[in-house]
Amino acid sequence: GLSTLTCRVCSPWALSRHWSSTAVRLAQSERGRMHWLSTLLLVLVDWPPPSPCGAEHETVVCQRDVVYKRDGLGNCTALMTASEVTWRERQLNTSLIGRVALELESNARLECLHLGGYKWFGVGTAGARALAEALKKNDALRVLSLPKSKIDDEGLWALADALEVNQALTTLRLSSYRPYGDEGARALARIISKNKGLRTLDVSATGIEAAGVRAIAEALKTNKVLTTLDLSRNQIGVDGMRALSEALKVNTALSSLRLSSNMIGGAEGAKNLSDALMLNTVLTSLTLECDPSYCYTGSGNGLEEQGVRALSAALKANVALSTLDLSNNGAIGDEGAKALAEALKANKVLANLQLGNTGVHKQGAAALAASLKLNQRLTTLGLSRNCMGDEGAIALGEALRVNRVLAKLGLSSSCVQGAGALALREVLQTNPALVALEFEGNWIRLEDSQPLVEAASSPQSGASKALAIDHFGSPPPPPPPPRHRNKRKRSTH
């Protein structure tokens, strides 16, 4: 049996607190058999920790255990430890942020600053003001990442004032779980309109509503440099979607837009967006998925058949969009899939379509398969968590005998059994274009899964293919009928 247990940790500060308990839990997980453990090998890997900006940049990073500085050669210097965090105030204390701001002012090589907050602390308003003053004097920083920062409207306005002076910053991440409100959104709009260097802005989960997104949309009409905008997990609603769509009709810079879980208004919001996509020629990536942590709380996008029909009409005319993510919008269904299939027959640019967990069954899968016989552009199709069964998998297999473009296909948890696995095995053997197949969570017996594995690694299939598969055996049996206990007769005595 196993004689060596290796515990991988990312920080030397974590050793004294976590390594021993982790080792014991791992050992106990092996069916309680600890007698085989003769050697406990503790190794440090990935230290210094990976940089949010890439290894080549000098970075200051705040993590749970330590605030450290890392240079482009991978050398790390601890600036301060978690003991300097004011837990009671639920934010990084002023002294700590002041030292980070001082580093920002004096270091001409620092290109990335990441101060990640947690549930119990964040940068806070005072910290945002200190960082804003430092930004006015710094022209080297390229990335400022303040996730879960707990910055309010006052802190946002301080950053907006600083970024009128600082034109060197290219990426600003301000995702938070503290609502900014309309005033905070106006500060963000000022950043978009006044700053000429910012390329990426992440304001996901900041509580922005329709009035706030209207201000942002007005700024986007004149902005010529912002290429990536993340508004996920906000509450822009129908009115906000209408304003944003009007901005997209005239904006000539934005190439990536994320609107996950935004309550865009179902069919009406999708129609407004569709009108914009017919005119927009620069947007290449659009995300309208329902975030799994939000889509069951009424905060999804409400995309149904009518909304997808509107988007499909835009796809027939659009000449720029290459990635569309509609995952976890469970009401799209077979009719929505049929509308998208018709659009794929005419579309010449879409390369990545994600439809995981959208209520697509065998009829929708068959329609998409028919479109694949004609489409010569789509390279990635995600259909996982749609119960299409063997009939859907067989239809896709037949399409892929003709299609020589699709490279990645996601069919995990799609209720596929032996017949569908057989059809896909033939595709893996004969189609050199398909290089990745996600197939976990299907009702595949071991004797049916083994031929798939052999087909993926067969020399006849060309290059080695990435296959993700497991086997659950036959479909789960129906639940047993409820048992009714016989009531004892009460004694008359």
Side-chain angles (χ1 to χ4, degrees):
L2 184 63
S3 60
T4 301
L5 176 64
T6 301
C7 299
R8 296 178 177 268
V9 296
C10 64
S11 167
W13 286 272
L15 297 185
S16 59
R17 294 164 51 186
H18 302 302
W19 78 268
S20 57
S21 60
T22 301
V24 171
R25 285 197 300 271
L26 287 171
Q28 290 175 341
S29 68
E30 290 291 321
R31 302 178 182 177
R33 298 177 300 173
M34 295 189 66
H35 61 272
W36 46 261
L37 187 62
S38 60
T39 303
L40 178 63
L41 177 63
L42 185 66
V43 295
L44 283 174
V45 296
D46 295 333
W47 179 256
S51 166
C53 309
E56 70 277 8
H57 298 298
E58 183 159 325
T59 308
V60 168
V61 175
C62 169
Q63 292 187 334
R64 186 183 300 266
D65 297 298
V66 66
V67 177
Y68 65 88
K69 180 173 68 174
R70 173 181 179 174
D71 62 22
L73 300 177
N75 302 312
C76 271
T77 304
L79 298 181
M80 53 213 77
T81 63
S83 61
E84 298 182 76
V85 174
T86 306
W87 306 96
R88 189 173 181 179
E89 294 180 3
R90 295 180 179 270
Q91 64 180 21
L92 299 173
N93 63 29
T94 306
S95 174
L96 185 147
I97 291 296
R99 292 167 66 178
V100 173
L102 182 62
E103 179 72 27
L104 184 60
E105 286 184 17
S106 60
N107 192 325
R109 300 181 307 276
L110 184 65
E111 294 182 317
C112 175
L113 176 60
H114 177 85
L115 297 175
Y118 297 93
K119 291 182 179 179
W120 51 85
F121 71 86
V123 169
T125 300
R129 287 199 300 265
L131 292 173
E133 290 301 317
L135 282 175
K136 294 178 181 179
K137 304 174 183 178
N138 181 285
D139 60 359
L141 195 70
R142 296 295 179 265
V143 179
L144 178 59
S145 180
L146 305 173
K148 301 181 184 179
S149 52
K150 297 179 173 59
I151 299 174
D152 61 9
D153 295 348
E154 181 183 351
L156 281 178
W157 275 111
L159 288 173
D161 291 339
L163 289 177
E164 281 194 46
V165 179
N166 183 305
Q167 300 290 319
L169 198 71
T170 60
T171 299
L172 178 61
R173 300 189 181 101
L174 294 172
S175 59
S176 176
Y177 292 101
R178 179 174 184 170
Y180 286 164
D182 295 338
E183 189 66 21
R186 280 191 283 271
L188 295 171
R190 183 175 176 181
I191 293 174
I192 294 173
S193 61
K194 298 294 184 180
N195 187 281
K196 304 304 180 184
L198 200 64
R199 300 292 188 272
T200 300
L201 178 61
D202 179 358
V203 287
S204 57
T206 51
I208 297 175
E209 299 182 351
V213 84
R214 281 198 293 269
I216 292 174
E218 286 299 317
L220 285 175
K221 290 180 180 179
T222 57
N223 182 282
K224 305 296 183 183
V225 293
L226 190 71
T227 59
T228 301
L229 177 61
D230 191 346
L231 286 168
S232 299
R233 292 172 288 166
N234 286 298
Q235 302 169 16
I236 69 174
V238 180
D239 292 339
M241 189 67 256
R242 185 182 300 112
L244 201 56
S245 298
E246 291 299 318
L248 289 176
K249 292 178 181 179
V250 297
N251 181 278
T252 58
L254 197 67
S255 61
S256 177
L257 177 63
R258 294 184 59 87
L259 294 173
S260 303
S261 302
N262 253 298
M263 299 185 292
I264 65 171
E268 184 178 352
K271 179 64 170 62
N272 291 326
L273 185 56
S274 173
D275 293 342
L277 290 177
M278 288 186 178
L279 299 176
N280 184 286
T281 59
V282 293
L283 192 70
T284 59
S285 177
L286 176 62
T287 301
L288 294 171
E289 68 163 340
C290 180
D291 190 298
S293 60
Y294 281 72
C295 60
Y296 299 111
T297 62
S299 299
N301 278 321
L303 286 179
E304 300 178 353
E305 175 189 340
Q306 295 301 321
V308 174
R309 286 187 182 278
L311 290 174
S312 300
L315 287 178
K316 294 179 181 179
N318 183 274
V319 295
L321 196 68
S322 61
T323 298
L324 178 61
D325 190 347
L326 302 176
S327 302
N328 297 318
N329 287 283
I332 290 177
D334 284 338
E335 295 303 317
K338 291 177 182 178
L340 287 169
E342 289 300 315
L344 287 176
K345 292 178 182 179
N347 184 279
K348 305 298 183 183
V349 292
L350 192 69
N352 185 348
L353 178 60
Q354 295 297 323
L355 293 173
N357 192 25
T358 52
V360 177
H361 296 91
K362 60 182 180 181
Q363 294 180 355
L368 290 168
S371 70
L372 288 178
K373 294 179 180 180
L374 300 176
N375 183 282
Q376 296 298 313
R377 174 60 179 169
L378 197 71
T379 59
T380 301
L381 177 60
L383 288 171
S384 296
R385 304 185 306 283
N386 288 300
C387 197
M388 65 182 67
D390 280 344
E391 294 183 31
I394 291 172
L396 288 168
E398 292 176 352
L400 291 177
R401 293 178 183 176
V402 178
N403 183 291
R404 287 296 187 269
V405 179
L406 194 73
K408 298 179 181 179
L409 177 62
L411 291 178
S412 297
S413 302
S414 296
C415 309
V416 180
Q417 301 184 52
L422 178 62
L424 293 171
R425 183 193 68 176
E426 295 176 0
V427 171
L428 288 173
Q429 288 177 333
T430 60
N431 189 325
L434 188 68
V435 296
L437 174 64
E438 296 177 3
F439 206 61
E440 308 101 322
N442 286 294
W443 299 331
I444 305 298
R445 298 173 299 177
L446 180 59
E447 55 266 31
D448 293 326
S449 63
Q450 188 60 34
L452 273 173
V453 176
E454 294 174 355
S457 57
S458 169
Q460 299 176 355
S461 64
S464 180
K465 301 178 184 291
L467 172 66
I469 188 172
D470 51 21
H471 55 89
F472 286 166
S474 58
R483 294 182 179 180
H484 300 284
R485 293 183 178 180
N486 295 326
K487 296 182 179 180
R488 295 181 179 179
K489 295 182 178 180
R490 293 184 179 180
S491 174
T492 57
H493 300 288

